[in-house]
């Protein structure tokens, strides 16, 4: 069901790789709600993924940009304003990548060049997007900027590796820039902390299937799907959330407030024996 929540609004959506991507679902919902937007992704993802198919469906274009490259971002923002016919009202940063995770590096044996890349692509790119947009005065008053995060920013999750550090930084950038952009130009900046979701990035996490199951058992409302995340993003881009800024908003079926649930305890009991735990951490 569509409500015209984004009628007349213009946006930029980062990170739609294929139909499982959270950004893909957001683009489909934004279209339904009357928005116009450009899509962007890093060139190799455009070549290998389906971003162009989504653009055709949404009657828009894909503008290649590496989100860690300031010149690419400047060109993206300028071209988007030209094509859409004015300043931007919403931006979705839906980007995550860790070479340490990809190469199976243990958190206690990180490659620091990889770590720098993880932080640059997954977190500092959010600052770059905001800094470029502000310098170009590209976002309308009451515009809304979102990035996607995960609860590993607050708590330790086995296997999430240096992405946890990236998410902590990402959430901090939303607060620090939210103060500046909010007080100067009434632009709101938030992160949405989403349940584990079966996407290309999600499936890269160690033992992702188990994490998905655990999280489902622990969440009173169950895991939030990518479609449900898209609904939440649309609400955050709409005028119904004008005074929400500098927040990390949990969209996780209640997971982040739980300690232990009956369903998780029941499952744990099935595999429980009297042996001492060996405190594995790798
Ligand atoms: N899937 C999950 O379990 C989950 C849970 C919470 C938060 N998130 C976050 O949601 C966001 C979207 O991920 P997703 O799950 O839809 O996976 P996805 O793999 O579909 O999307 C990740 C996107 O990041 C893009 N990207 C990588 N490097 C880039 C760069 N240098 N410049 C521009 N784009 C780049 C990829 O091309 C891809 O489109 C990420 O921030 C991720 O950490 C995912």
């Amino acid at each position: 069901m569509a409500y015209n929540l984004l009628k007349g609004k213009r946006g930029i959506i980062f990170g739609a790789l294929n139909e499982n991507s959270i950004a893909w679902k957001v683009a489909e919902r934004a279209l339904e709600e009357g928005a116009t937007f450009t899509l962007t992704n890093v060139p190799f993802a455009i070549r290998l993924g389906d971003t162009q198919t989504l653009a055709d469906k949404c009657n828009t274009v894909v503008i290649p940009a590496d989100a860690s490259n300031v010149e690419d971002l400047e060109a993206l923002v300028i071209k988007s304003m030209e094509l859409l016919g004015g300043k931007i009202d919403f931006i979705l940063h839906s980007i995550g990548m860790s070479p340490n995770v990809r190469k199976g590096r243990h958190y206690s044996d990180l490659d620091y060049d990889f770590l720098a890349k993880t932080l640059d692509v997954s977190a500092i790119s959010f600052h770059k997007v905001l800094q470029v947009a502000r310098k170009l005065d590209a976002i309308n008053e009451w515009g809304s900027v979102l990035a996607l995060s995960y609860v590993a920013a607050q708590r330790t999750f086995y296997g999430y590796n240096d992405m946890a550090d990236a998410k902590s930084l990402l959430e901090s950038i939303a607060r620090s820039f939210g103060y500046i952009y909010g007080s100067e130009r009434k632009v709101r900046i938030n992160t949405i902390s989403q349940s584990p979701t079966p996407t290309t990035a999600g499936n890269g996490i160690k033992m992702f299937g188990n994490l998905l199951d655990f999280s489902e058992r622990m969440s009173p409302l169950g895991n939030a799907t990518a479609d449900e995340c898209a609904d939440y993003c649309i609400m955050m881009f709409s005028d119904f959330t004008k005074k929400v800024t500098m927040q990390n908003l949990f969209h996780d079926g209640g997971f982040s407030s739980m300690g232990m649930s009956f369903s998780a305890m029941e499952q744990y009991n099935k595999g429980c024996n009297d042996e001492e735990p060996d405190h594995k951490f790798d």
Side-chain angles (χ1 to χ4, degrees), residues 107 150-161 164 211 214 255:
Y107 187 71
Y150 184 55
V151 64
Q154 286 78 29
R155 311 210 188 143
T156 301
F157 281 80
Y158 171 76
Y160 202 68
N161 212 315
L211 179 65
F214 173 69
F255 178 89

Side-chain angles (χ1 to χ4, degrees), residues 15-17 21-23 41-42 45 65-68 94-97 121 148-150 160 163 167 194-197 199-202 208:
L17 177 67
S21 299
I22 297 168
N41 212 323
V42 73
D66 178 341
S68 62
S94 187
I95 298 170
M97 198 280 293
V121 171
L148 291 174
S149 193
Y150 184 55
Y160 202 68
M163 278 302 290
K167 292 305 188 192
Q194 164 68 7
S195 295
T197 313
T199 62
T200 304
F208 183 70

Side-chain angles (χ1 to χ4, degrees), residues 31-194:
L31 182 73
E32 280 172 20
E33 293 297 337
T36 53
F37 49 84
T38 56
L39 298 172
T40 179
N41 212 323
V42 73
F44 82 84
I46 298 171
R47 276 198 308 279
L48 298 178
D50 306 324
T51 320
Q52 187 58 52
T53 308
L54 178 66
D56 296 342
K57 196 175 158 190
C58 297
N59 197 23
T60 186
V61 296
V62 186
I63 303 172
D66 178 341
S68 62
N69 181 304
V70 171
E71 288 78 35
D72 281 9
L73 291 173
E74 284 166 350
L76 165 70
V77 171
I78 290 168
K79 196 151 181 215
S80 295
M81 288 195 290
E82 274 169 21
L83 287 168
L84 299 172
K87 286 202 211 178
I88 303 303
D89 300 290
F90 66 90
I91 298 177
L92 178 72
H93 177 288
S94 187
I95 298 170
M97 198 280 293
S98 160
N100 279 306
V101 170
R102 280 194 186 167
K103 305 271 185 202
R105 296 293 293 240
H106 190 260
Y107 187 71
S108 63
D109 182 34
L110 290 182
D111 177 299
Y112 290 117
D113 290 334
F114 289 174
L115 174 62
K117 187 85 180 157
T118 301
L119 298 178
D120 196 20
V121 171
S122 307
I124 299 168
S125 64
F126 191 42
H127 190 283
K128 291 177 180 173
V129 169
L130 290 162
Q131 184 162 299
V132 163
R134 180 177 166 277
K135 285 188 177 168
L136 292 170
D137 192 18
I139 306 183
N140 276 320
E141 275 201 357
W142 303 111
S144 174
V145 185
L146 282 178
L148 291 174
S149 193
Y150 184 55
V151 64
Q154 286 78 29
R155 311 210 188 143
T156 301
F157 281 80
Y158 171 76
Y160 202 68
N161 212 315
D162 59 350
M163 278 302 290
D165 305 318
K167 292 305 188 192
S168 299
L169 178 56
L170 184 78
E171 293 177 13
S172 176
I173 290 169
R175 286 186 294 272
S176 304
F177 224 118
Y179 165 61
I180 294 166
Y181 225 156
S183 40
E184 273 183 4
R185 302 192 200 159
K186 298 189 170 51
V187 171
R188 57 199 200 271
I189 305 173
N190 296 285
T191 52
I192 290 183
S193 184
Q194 164 68 7

Side-chain angles (χ1 to χ4, degrees), residues 3-4 24 124 136 151 172 231 243 245 251 258 267 281:
Y3 307 90
N4 270 336
W24 186 287
I124 299 168
L136 292 170
V151 64
S172 176
D231 285 341
K243 290 289 172 76
T245 194
H251 183 252
M258 288 296 299
Q267 186 64 18
F281 57 84

Side-chain angles (χ1 to χ4, degrees), residues 244-256:
V244 183
T245 194
M246 302 163 68
Q247 302 298 315
N248 178 49
L249 305 160
F250 287 104
H251 183 252
D252 63 0
F255 178 89
S256 48

